[in-house]
Amino acid sequence: MKERYTLPKIFSLDFWKIIFRGASQVMFQENWCGGVLIIAGIFWGSYYSGFPSVAWGAIVGVIVSTLTGYILKLSPEDGDMGLWGYNGILVGCAMPTFLGETLLMWLTLILFAAASTWILVGMNRVFKKFKVTAYTFPFVLLTIFILLATRVMHGLPAPYLSVPELPGPFSSELDTTFKSLATYWLKGISQVFLINSAITGIIFIFALWICNRWAAFWACLSSAIALGVAILLECDSHYIANGLFGFSPVLTGIAVGCTFYNVNWRTTIYAVLAVVTTVYIQAAMDTIAVPWGLPTLTTPFCITTWLFMLPQLKLNSCTKI
Amino acid sequence: MKERYTLPKIFSLDFWKIIFRGASQVMFQENWCGGVLIIAGIFWGSYYSGFPSVAWGAIVGVIVSTLTGYILKLSPEDGDMGLWGYNGILVGCAMPTFLGETLLMWLTLILFAAASTWILVGMNRVFKKFKVTAYTFPFVLLTIFILLATRVMHGLPAPYLSVPELPGPFSSELDTTFKSLATYWLKGISQVFLINSAITGIIFIFALWICNRWAAFWACLSSAIALGVAILLECDSHYIANGLFGFSPVLTGIAVGCTFYNVNWRTTIYAVLAVVTTVYIQAAMDTIAVPWGLPTLTTPFCITTWLFMLPQLKLNSCTKI
Amino acid sequence: MKERYTLPKIFSLDFWKIIFRGASQVMFQENWCGGVLIIAGIFWGSYYSGFPSVAWGAIVGVIVSTLTGYILKLSPEDGDMGLWGYNGILVGCAMPTFLGETLLMWLTLILFAAASTWILVGMNRVFKKFKVTAYTFPFVLLTIFILLATRVMHGLPAPYLSVPELPGPFSSELDTTFKSLATYWLKGISQVFLINSAITGIIFIFALWICNRWAAFWACLSSAIALGVAILLECDSHYIANGLFGFSPVLTGIAVGCTFYNVNWRTTIYAVLAVVTTVYIQAAMDTIAVPWGLPTLTTPFCITTWLFMLPQLKLNSCTKI
């Protein structure tokens, strides 16, 4: 048992399964086949849009953060489940998405992917006291720090960040043909890994289908609900069209709808309310981020899921009103 | 006992007592008569100033959030004390105060008033570990989220929010005739429910007087101290004249001065220091909120009361220096 | 034992030792001789730069906050270690650094230095559940509140704060002669107490040397690493030249490198990573603060040290990879 976690053997098949499980854990799955598909989806989306470094960042991020778990000899149970890697892979996707591809970017990516592993341990020591976990918050916090830092670092240029400004006017005129709506809906799923591609969205749905059919169902349903609510509330059309109102609700839906609760009609209502709430909190976070030109990453998902899971409501038991 | 909380009977007299206790719990009271007066004060202020929807929002908010407690079968003890309703009534006051009166506003109000009930349960699971509670923080957090969200939602216009800008110059010239000062002082009390009316302030003092004379005393004293400190520090006169430096100190004063501590000379000094500190934190929050044109709501009260109650100082026992 | 903490005797030699230990606790030391030297360094730096009120603010802050501990009859063990004074002395340094010297400034300083003592007690009740402490966060939080508040208070002018603006262009051209670099490096250490003076930096190193040679080593090493990383990442040269990338890493280095962990090669690597991370978080906080024209104070140190200490990694035991 102990030997299994020593360095000589880690580049074995078991190691790679753990790596791929890390990719699947972003969507609360523990299935290396699903992880392979997810990484395939990331490669497709990033190469197709001309940003191959996003895919390679994902690979570096998940390997570095998983290796860090081995080196620090953290709980092997967590490692086996892929919990060392899911923040690292997101750090690895985010950095080349917003930052210019320089040596310093890669070094920063490695440092923060590694840090995401022990910071998750620390945060979970806090959150587990309240029977929730940190979700993707280590990724969110570290990436926001790096993106903010680039504003005063010429050595770490961030050409793909927005310009800092005050909240102002925006357009909510949207192309609502069926084909466009389907694209927005699929991009809402692909944006979980910061990928802006309908094809990748389809691959991700398929990946979830392999892992857990309810998870695939909730991803589809949540992205659709979020799209509908965002259109109803006439949100910024640029955000809607790129799936940026979808990815946090997708994660909230999978988390509340079929991961932390069993599926029944009560938990379904509760999860739908959580998904709708995530759209509002997404809009709120978009507004907060404007003066620094930042993305929200998965903050809306983290906040909403904490707000809905902290009460520890007993919704699984059969009760009559 | 159990039947009491089933839907058929909830629109009984008991139900309405619980609703009104919810109104009184905003000021830490558990007295349905006081709640009736408070709601009367809200109606007076909102009709008089031409915003009747604020009063109806309050009614909808307190009913929805209390019903949510029944539906989720939360602890009946909390329900009886009115703890399901006090965040909902504030959400209900705040939404029509800042947002345009549309169907989507009312639907949003209902969703977030309901959510305030389980979010309070979740937050208290955290705060009670440290022997404090969440106070009005569920209301503050949810309302701030909605107000931020409106900045990127044309479907939820917020015509009564300020324009986003950077902190800049302001006027501290104030009409300090006795009559004006008395008006500011009373508005400091009425603004606890986002009402800008001296008459409502008088009704609220009377409501507190019925519930607990010390609470009425501390509301009056705290608003007066806050007014004095704000004038001494030459704060923004527009804020002072509308009672916006008063409402958080009023809540801090009632909380620290006569709710969580018994009244004695030591706790009185401590509560006065808390009230003065709240004025500074009010000014700080006003400044933080400027780039998004947001109100502070009762954030300054929550922060100050946490800072003063977390140490759990033993001020009630008689000690000699 | 009990009498020792009654007011008549507190202006004894023991009292002054506690005061000076408070000064040394800012750098995690418990040594009144070191504290005397630190205060000497503060006096040198503040008089030399023409801001003598900073030194007198430090004296008032540390005395007021320590007296508050006596008056509230807090744990004498904490008092003996100087833990009542280390936030107060920083509040006392910060207020005259940024605010105009008025009577209201001094009254505010006294109120908030006193409050820092009980707020530390409250925060530690929270943080100790997770086996970390509040570090200098009471100082940070209270000072940020005051600085924000000055933006809407004419009675509390803050002429030495920056102008609020959005993040924008900056210069990273730096004079990198050896003499200049040495100055930046020493100022990185003196800025722990908001002093911008290389001589004070030398005095602080000497003060640490008396207390604990590893602490002196880590202060020197951390300021050097931070300087190197900030130059490598081409950070804002104005900040680098005034030591503003150094003071938080210095505290992180002493904390992680030789206070909360024993010195060995594993903890050394971990502490170096923490120091490097602090530079990024310093840059991130600098950016966050821009729209209000605020300084970051020691926020980056607090955040990084929490992130690195919360996991409670077992790095002291000898383990083989």
Side-chain angles (χ1 to χ4, degrees):
Chain A
M1 182 71 177
K2 222 178 165 187
E3 289 163 78
R4 220 169 116 212
Y5 289 90
T6 53
L7 272 173
K9 292 196 189 166
I10 61 171
F11 284 102
S12 62
L13 183 64
D14 270 2
F15 176 75
W16 287 104
K17 283 188 182 171
I18 285 175
I19 290 289
F20 288 118
R21 276 191 211 117
S24 73
Q25 277 291 357
V26 172
M27 308 234 231
F28 302 99
Q29 308 309 315
E30 183 189 331
N31 181 315
W32 68 269
C33 300
V36 169
L37 266 174
I38 284 170
I39 286 180
I42 293 172
F43 267 86
W44 168 269
S46 66
Y47 269 84
Y48 190 78
S49 61
F51 281 88
S53 53
V54 171
W56 293 108
I59 297 289
V60 172
V62 70
I63 291 178
V64 166
S65 57
T66 303
L67 279 179
T68 304
Y70 280 101
I71 292 169
L72 295 176
K73 296 188 175 294
L74 301 179
S75 150
E77 286 74 26
D78 285 358
D80 269 345
M81 292 170 70
L83 295 176
W84 295 341
Y86 76 97
N87 280 288
I89 195 172
L90 290 171
V91 170
C93 285
M95 302 273 300
T97 299
F98 300 106
L99 271 60
E101 209 181 330
T102 61
L103 175 63
L104 282 172
M105 186 278 277
W106 286 104
L107 292 176
T108 305
L109 190 159
I110 289 169
L111 170 62
F112 280 80
S116 76
T117 302
W118 66 76
I119 286 171
L120 177 65
V121 173
M123 286 188 177
N124 274 344
R125 287 189 64 244
V126 175
F127 283 106
K128 280 188 175 164
K129 295 243 180 207
F130 311 109
K131 299 199 181 149
V132 294
T133 63
Y135 311 140
T136 55
F137 195 58
F139 148 65
V140 167
L141 191 72
L142 290 174
T143 307
I144 293 292
F145 281 149
I146 300 165
L147 297 181
L148 281 166
T150 63
R151 298 285 185 203
V152 291
M153 289 175 165
H154 282 152
L156 212 58
Y160 311 116
L161 277 184
S162 306
V163 173
E165 56 191 6
L166 291 172
F170 61 95
S171 163
S172 60
E173 269 179 59
L174 194 71
D175 174 4
T176 52
T177 57
F178 178 77
K179 197 185 151 195
S180 298
L181 290 176
T183 306
Y184 310 156
W185 170 69
L186 289 167
K187 285 185 173 181
I189 296 168
S190 73
Q191 284 284 9
V192 168
F193 285 88
L194 297 98
I195 301 293
N196 189 3
S197 155
I199 305 286
T200 298
I202 293 169
I203 299 174
F204 285 177
I205 293 171
F206 188 59
L208 285 171
W209 181 259
I210 293 178
C211 302
N212 177 335
R213 297 191 182 178
W214 279 115
F217 169 77
W218 270 104
C220 296
L221 180 65
S222 304
S223 189
I225 292 174
L227 180 60
V229 173
I231 291 173
L232 184 70
L233 290 164
E234 296 172 55
C235 293
D236 188 317
S237 56
H238 172 74
Y239 282 59
I240 295 178
N242 288 293
L244 297 176
F245 275 104
F247 65 99
S248 271
V250 162
L251 290 173
T252 305
I254 300 174
V256 180
C258 62
T259 303
F260 301 128
Y261 280 118
N262 296 327
V263 179
N264 66 39
W265 68 267
R266 288 173 152 266
T267 58
T268 300
I269 294 172
Y270 196 62
V272 168
L273 293 177
V275 167
V276 174
T277 304
T278 311
V279 178
Y280 285 90
I281 296 183
Q282 176 69 58
M285 293 293 120
D286 286 339
T287 306
I288 284 188
V290 166
W292 300 277
L294 292 180
T296 65
L297 308 175
T298 50
T299 322
F301 147 66
C302 290
I303 293 176
T304 313
T305 307
W306 287 327
L307 290 178
F308 277 68
M309 294 312 303
L310 272 174
Q312 300 278 303
L313 297 179
K314 304 257 178 293
L315 302 177
N316 285 333
S317 59
C318 179
T319 47
K320 287 178 204 156
I321 297 178
Chain B
M1 181 72 180
K2 222 180 169 186
E3 290 163 75
R4 221 169 114 212
Y5 290 89
T6 53
L7 271 173
K9 292 196 188 167
I10 61 170
F11 284 102
S12 61
L13 184 63
D14 270 3
F15 175 77
W16 288 104
K17 283 188 182 172
I18 285 174
I19 290 291
F20 288 117
R21 276 190 212 119
S24 72
Q25 276 291 358
V26 173
M27 308 236 230
F28 302 98
Q29 308 308 315
E30 183 189 330
N31 182 315
W32 67 270
C33 301
V36 169
L37 267 174
I38 284 171
I39 286 181
I42 293 172
F43 267 86
W44 167 269
S46 66
Y47 269 84
Y48 190 79
S49 60
F51 282 87
S53 53
V54 172
W56 293 108
I59 297 289
V60 172
V62 70
I63 291 178
V64 166
S65 56
T66 303
L67 279 179
T68 303
Y70 280 100
I71 292 170
L72 295 176
K73 298 190 175 293
L74 301 179
S75 151
E77 287 74 26
D78 286 359
D80 269 344
M81 290 170 72
L83 295 176
W84 296 339
Y86 76 96
N87 281 288
I89 194 172
L90 290 171
V91 170
C93 285
M95 302 273 299
T97 300
F98 300 107
L99 270 61
E101 208 180 329
T102 62
L103 176 63
L104 282 171
M105 185 278 277
W106 286 103
L107 293 175
T108 305
L109 190 160
I110 288 169
L111 170 62
F112 280 80
S116 75
T117 302
W118 66 77
I119 286 171
L120 177 65
V121 173
M123 286 188 176
N124 275 343
R125 288 190 63 245
V126 175
F127 283 106
K128 281 190 174 164
K129 293 243 180 207
F130 312 108
K131 297 197 182 152
V132 296
T133 63
Y135 311 140
T136 55
F137 195 59
F139 148 65
V140 167
L141 191 72
L142 291 174
T143 307
I144 292 293
F145 281 149
I146 300 165
L147 298 181
L148 282 165
T150 63
R151 298 286 185 201
V152 290
M153 289 176 164
H154 283 152
L156 212 58
Y160 312 116
L161 278 184
S162 307
V163 173
E165 56 192 4
L166 291 172
F170 61 94
S171 162
S172 59
E173 269 180 57
L174 194 71
D175 174 4
T176 53
T177 58
F178 179 78
K179 198 186 150 193
S180 299
L181 289 176
T183 306
Y184 309 156
W185 169 68
L186 289 168
K187 286 185 172 180
I189 297 167
S190 73
Q191 285 283 10
V192 169
F193 285 88
L194 297 99
I195 301 294
N196 188 3
S197 154
I199 305 286
T200 298
I202 293 170
I203 299 174
F204 285 179
I205 293 170
F206 189 58
L208 285 171
W209 181 259
I210 293 177
C211 302
N212 176 336
R213 297 188 183 183
W214 279 115
F217 168 77
W218 271 104
C220 295
L221 179 65
S222 303
S223 189
I225 292 173
L227 180 60
V229 172
I231 292 173
L232 184 70
L233 290 163
E234 296 172 55
C235 292
D236 189 316
S237 55
H238 173 74
Y239 282 59
I240 294 177
N242 288 294
L244 297 176
F245 275 104
F247 65 98
S248 271
V250 161
L251 290 173
T252 305
I254 300 174
V256 180
C258 62
T259 303
F260 301 127
Y261 281 120
N262 296 327
V263 179
N264 65 39
W265 68 268
R266 286 172 155 266
T267 57
T268 301
I269 294 173
Y270 197 62
V272 168
L273 292 177
V275 167
V276 174
T277 303
T278 311
V279 178
Y280 285 91
I281 296 183
Q282 176 69 59
M285 294 292 120
D286 286 339
T287 306
I288 284 188
V290 166
W292 301 277
L294 292 180
T296 64
L297 308 174
T298 51
T299 322
F301 146 67
C302 290
I303 293 176
T304 313
T305 306
W306 287 325
L307 291 179
F308 278 70
M309 295 311 303
L310 272 175
Q312 299 278 302
L313 298 179
K314 304 256 176 293
L315 302 177
N316 285 331
S317 58
C318 179
T319 45
K320 286 179 204 154
I321 297 176
Chain C
M1 182 71 180
K2 222 181 167 184
E3 289 164 76
R4 221 168 114 211
Y5 289 91
T6 54
L7 271 173
K9 291 194 186 168
I10 61 170
F11 285 102
S12 60
L13 183 62
D14 270 2
F15 175 76
W16 288 103
K17 283 187 182 172
I18 285 175
I19 290 291
F20 289 118
R21 277 190 211 118
S24 73
Q25 277 290 359
V26 172
M27 307 234 231
F28 302 100
Q29 307 308 315
E30 183 189 331
N31 181 314
W32 68 269
C33 300
V36 169
L37 266 174
I38 285 170
I39 286 181
I42 294 172
F43 266 86
W44 168 269
S46 67
Y47 268 84
Y48 190 78
S49 61
F51 281 88
S53 54
V54 171
W56 293 107
I59 297 288
V60 171
V62 69
I63 291 179
V64 166
S65 56
T66 304
L67 279 179
T68 303
Y70 280 101
I71 292 169
L72 295 176
K73 297 188 176 296
L74 301 178
S75 151
E77 287 74 26
D78 285 358
D80 269 344
M81 291 170 71
L83 295 176
W84 295 341
Y86 76 97
N87 281 288
I89 195 172
L90 290 171
V91 170
C93 285
M95 301 273 300
T97 299
F98 300 106
L99 270 61
E101 209 180 329
T102 61
L103 176 62
L104 283 172
M105 185 278 276
W106 286 103
L107 292 176
T108 305
L109 189 159
I110 288 168
L111 169 63
F112 280 80
S116 75
T117 302
W118 67 76
I119 286 171
L120 177 65
V121 173
M123 288 188 175
N124 275 343
R125 286 191 63 243
V126 175
F127 283 107
K128 280 188 175 165
K129 294 243 180 205
F130 311 109
K131 298 198 181 150
V132 296
T133 63
Y135 312 139
T136 54
F137 195 59
F139 147 65
V140 167
L141 191 72
L142 291 174
T143 307
I144 292 293
F145 281 150
I146 300 166
L147 298 181
L148 281 166
T150 62
R151 298 285 184 202
V152 289
M153 290 175 164
H154 283 151
L156 212 59
Y160 312 116
L161 277 185
S162 307
V163 173
E165 56 192 6
L166 291 172
F170 61 94
S171 163
S172 59
E173 269 180 57
L174 194 70
D175 174 5
T176 51
T177 57
F178 178 77
K179 197 185 150 193
S180 298
L181 290 176
T183 306
Y184 309 156
W185 170 67
L186 288 167
K187 285 184 174 181
I189 296 167
S190 74
Q191 285 284 9
V192 169
F193 285 88
L194 297 99
I195 301 293
N196 188 4
S197 155
I199 305 285
T200 298
I202 294 169
I203 299 174
F204 284 179
I205 293 171
F206 189 59
L208 285 171
W209 181 261
I210 293 176
C211 302
N212 176 336
R213 298 194 179 176
W214 279 115
F217 168 77
W218 270 103
C220 295
L221 180 66
S222 304
S223 188
I225 292 173
L227 180 59
V229 173
I231 291 174
L232 184 71
L233 289 163
E234 296 172 55
C235 292
D236 189 317
S237 56
H238 173 74
Y239 282 59
I240 295 177
N242 288 293
L244 296 177
F245 275 104
F247 65 98
S248 272
V250 161
L251 291 173
T252 304
I254 300 174
V256 179
C258 62
T259 303
F260 301 128
Y261 280 119
N262 296 328
V263 179
N264 65 41
W265 70 267
R266 286 173 154 267
T267 59
T268 299
I269 294 172
Y270 197 61
V272 168
L273 292 177
V275 166
V276 174
T277 303
T278 311
V279 178
Y280 285 91
I281 296 184
Q282 176 69 56
M285 294 292 120
D286 287 338
T287 306
I288 284 189
V290 165
W292 301 278
L294 291 180
T296 64
L297 307 174
T298 51
T299 322
F301 147 66
C302 290
I303 293 177
T304 314
T305 307
W306 287 326
L307 291 179
F308 277 69
M309 295 312 302
L310 273 174
Q312 301 277 305
L313 298 179
K314 304 258 176 292
L315 302 177
N316 286 331
S317 59
C318 181
T319 46
K320 287 179 203 153
I321 298 177

